[in-house]
């Protein structure tokens, strides 16, 4: 399974490069502890054309213990923004989260729409918040409310920290928090480390990876 996922990630990276992307960040994490092996892969991509902004997030996590797979998670989120003015934009999104070993169900599928607001912008600090309503398909079908907050702070000339927090309501609430620290190797090249915590109400998980980013 891993070789197919690695092939998919490589093909996806090449495909996104072929579209003259604005920015792409690829993360990789590998952890071994007394026979337990965890592999984390991630891709973050965004592109801006006029008032349109496209964003893709992809994560793949697998964990084995004594040669037996215990975790296999694939997460995909596509979001399309349209800028209305300097502060406000509308958005549409598709999100698929498949967990092979999730106890209650395997797949969460979301289709939603909403708006975002750029709360604060300065040279060092940027804050945005998004609100949306969505249709969730999991072990049941329901309408949910989503709130996402993004905060980025420039710690020093070459260091920056970013936190992305997502909350989704529903029969089983869903919270996803991602924190990363990046260092600018050059004007358009960054390297960093990120941590992700996911709480689905009935189960939690943590992942981490080393990231390499390029801006065009």
């Amino acid at each position: 399974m891993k070789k197919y996922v690695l092939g998919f990630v490589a093909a996806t990276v090449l495909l996104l490069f072929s579209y003259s992307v604005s920015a792409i960040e690829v993360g990789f994490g590998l952890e071994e502890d007394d026979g337990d092996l965890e592999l984390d892969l991630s891709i973050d991509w965004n592109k801006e054309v006029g008032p349109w902004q496209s964003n893709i997030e992809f994560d793949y996590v697998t964990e084995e213990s004594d040669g037996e797979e215990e975790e296999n998670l694939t997460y995909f989120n596509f979001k399309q923004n349209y800028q209305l003015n300097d502060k406000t934009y509308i958005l549409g999104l598709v999100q698929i989260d498949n967990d092979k070993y999730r106890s209650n169900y395997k797949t969460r599928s979301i289709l939603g729409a909403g708006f975002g607001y750029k709360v604060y912008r300065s040279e060092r600090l940027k804050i945005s918040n998004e609100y949306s309503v969505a249709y969730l398909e999991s072990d049941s079908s329901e309408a949910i409310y989503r709130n996402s907050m993004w905060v980025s702070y420039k710690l020093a000339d070459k260091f920056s920290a970013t936190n992305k927090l997502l909350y989704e309501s529903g029969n089983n609430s869903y919270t996803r928090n991602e924190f990363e620290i990046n260092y600018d190797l050059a004007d358009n090249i960054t390297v960093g480390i990120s941590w992700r915590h996911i709480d689905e109400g009935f189960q939690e998980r943590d992942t981490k990876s080393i990231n390499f980013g390029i801006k065009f």
Side-chain angles (χ1 to χ4, degrees):
M1 179 65 179
K2 293 190 192 71
K3 65 180 180 181
Y4 296 115
V5 174
L6 289 169
F8 171 78
V9 171
T12 302
V13 171
L14 291 174
L15 178 63
L16 296 178
F17 269 115
S18 71
Y19 280 103
S20 300
V21 300
S22 298
I24 187 169
E25 182 177 85
V26 179
F28 178 79
L30 184 64
E31 184 177 355
E32 196 277 333
D33 181 22
D34 193 26
D36 295 343
L37 182 66
E38 181 177 321
L39 172 67
D40 305 313
L41 296 170
S42 67
I43 298 175
D44 290 347
W45 172 86
N46 67 75
K47 179 179 176 63
E48 293 188 27
V49 179
W52 296 95
Q53 182 186 57
S54 304
N55 299 275
I56 290 177
E57 289 184 69
F58 171 82
D59 295 332
Y60 173 74
V61 180
T62 182
E63 183 175 355
E64 292 183 358
S65 180
D66 297 325
E68 295 292 328
E69 186 179 67
E70 293 186 344
E71 184 173 0
N72 188 305
L73 169 68
T74 304
Y75 173 88
F76 174 84
N77 179 288
F78 173 75
K79 184 164 65 75
Q80 184 72 56
N81 299 344
Y82 182 82
Q83 194 79 26
L84 298 175
N85 52 52
D86 290 343
K87 289 282 189 178
T88 310
Y89 55 94
I90 55 176
L91 63 95
L93 66 99
V94 176
Q95 180 178 302
I96 300 173
D97 175 348
N98 185 77
D99 186 344
K100 184 177 178 181
Y101 299 100
R102 183 184 275 129
S103 57
N104 291 16
Y105 51 88
K106 305 305 178 193
T107 304
R108 298 177 81 254
S109 302
I110 289 177
L111 179 65
F115 71 95
Y117 183 72
K118 296 179 180 179
V119 179
Y120 183 80
R121 287 289 188 276
S122 72
E123 188 174 328
R124 300 184 71 87
L125 177 64
K126 295 179 175 62
I127 304 174
S128 296
N129 203 33
E130 296 180 354
Y131 309 89
S132 58
V133 291
Y135 172 78
L136 167 65
E137 183 76 30
S138 55
D139 56 341
S140 61
S141 302
E142 58 182 320
I144 63 169
Y145 165 81
R146 305 173 78 256
N147 185 37
S148 177
M149 175 167 279
W150 177 87
V151 179
S152 179
Y153 184 72
K154 194 169 185 178
L155 302 170
D157 287 342
K158 292 183 177 293
F159 280 98
S160 63
T162 302
N163 194 82
K164 294 184 287 185
L165 175 62
L166 168 66
Y167 171 78
E168 297 176 352
S169 66
N171 294 331
N172 294 301
S173 62
Y174 179 95
T175 304
R176 177 186 175 91
N177 192 74
E178 181 174 352
F179 176 77
E180 70 177 47
I181 295 178
N182 287 315
Y183 176 77
D184 296 336
L185 293 176
D187 289 341
N188 63 335
I189 300 175
T190 62
V191 64
I193 185 169
S194 64
W195 298 265
R196 300 173 194 85
H197 177 75
I198 302 169
D199 184 352
E200 299 184 69
F202 56 89
Q203 67 177 17
E204 298 182 35
R205 69 174 66 84
D206 294 278
T207 66
K208 52 187 172 292
S209 62
I210 296 174
N211 307 317
F212 179 77
I214 299 178
K215 295 179 180 179
F216 294 85

